[in-house]
Amino acid sequence: MSKKTKTIIALNILLFVFSLGNVFSKLASNQDFLSIRFILCYTALLFIMFVYAIGWQQIIKRLDLTTAYANRAITVVFGILWGVVVFNEKITIGKVIGAIIVIAGVLLYVTDKEGNNE
């Protein structure tokens, strides 16, 4: 496995963790302001953002910034999954088509051998 492939895998793991921030944000929004649950959710959100900030800096040391940003779009897919798992939301055909388009776009960009993202 190439170094770039390992970095892209690490990036996607980091983006998965980053997507958890949206879960805790939504959970916090459903709590009374400054209640224990609100504070716990908000603290978890801040911790996730801290981990993401440190991880993002490490990723962009090893990967072209445009490639890293193109991969951020995968958080749309993670958002759909979190919506289903945590909030019992429905997966619609529109969400599936959108996720497929996002994944296809990321794959096309990342696997482009003739472009500027090598």
Side-chain angles (χ1 to χ4, degrees):
M1 187 179 310
S2 74
K3 193 173 186 179
K4 182 178 179 181
T5 302
K6 288 179 183 178
T7 304
I8 290 174
I9 290 170
L11 171 61
N12 282 282
I13 291 169
L14 181 65
L15 292 172
F16 179 78
V17 171
F18 174 71
S19 70
L20 277 170
N22 294 327
V23 173
F24 284 105
S25 177
K26 187 170 182 176
L27 289 172
S29 72
N30 292 328
Q31 307 303 319
D32 292 330
F33 183 64
L34 295 181
S35 68
I36 295 297
R37 287 184 180 178
F38 175 85
I39 292 170
L40 290 173
C41 289
Y42 199 75
T43 301
L45 171 61
L46 290 175
F47 178 74
I48 289 168
M49 294 299 106
F50 173 78
V51 169
Y52 173 74
I54 300 299
W56 180 254
Q57 295 302 312
Q58 297 305 309
I59 292 293
I60 61 174
K61 282 183 185 178
R62 295 166 177 81
L63 196 62
D64 182 49
L65 185 59
T66 55
T67 301
Y69 261 101
N71 276 270
R72 284 189 66 181
I74 199 71
T75 59
V76 171
V77 176
F78 295 146
I80 293 170
L81 295 175
W82 289 127
V84 170
V85 172
V86 178
F87 301 108
N88 297 317
E89 295 176 355
K90 303 284 186 216
I91 296 180
T92 64
I93 190 70
K95 289 179 184 177
V96 171
I97 291 170
I100 290 169
I101 291 170
V102 167
I103 291 170
V106 169
L107 288 175
L108 283 172
Y109 184 82
V110 170
T111 59
D112 179 24
K113 299 295 182 198
E114 298 175 14
N116 295 326
N117 64 335
E118 292 186 33

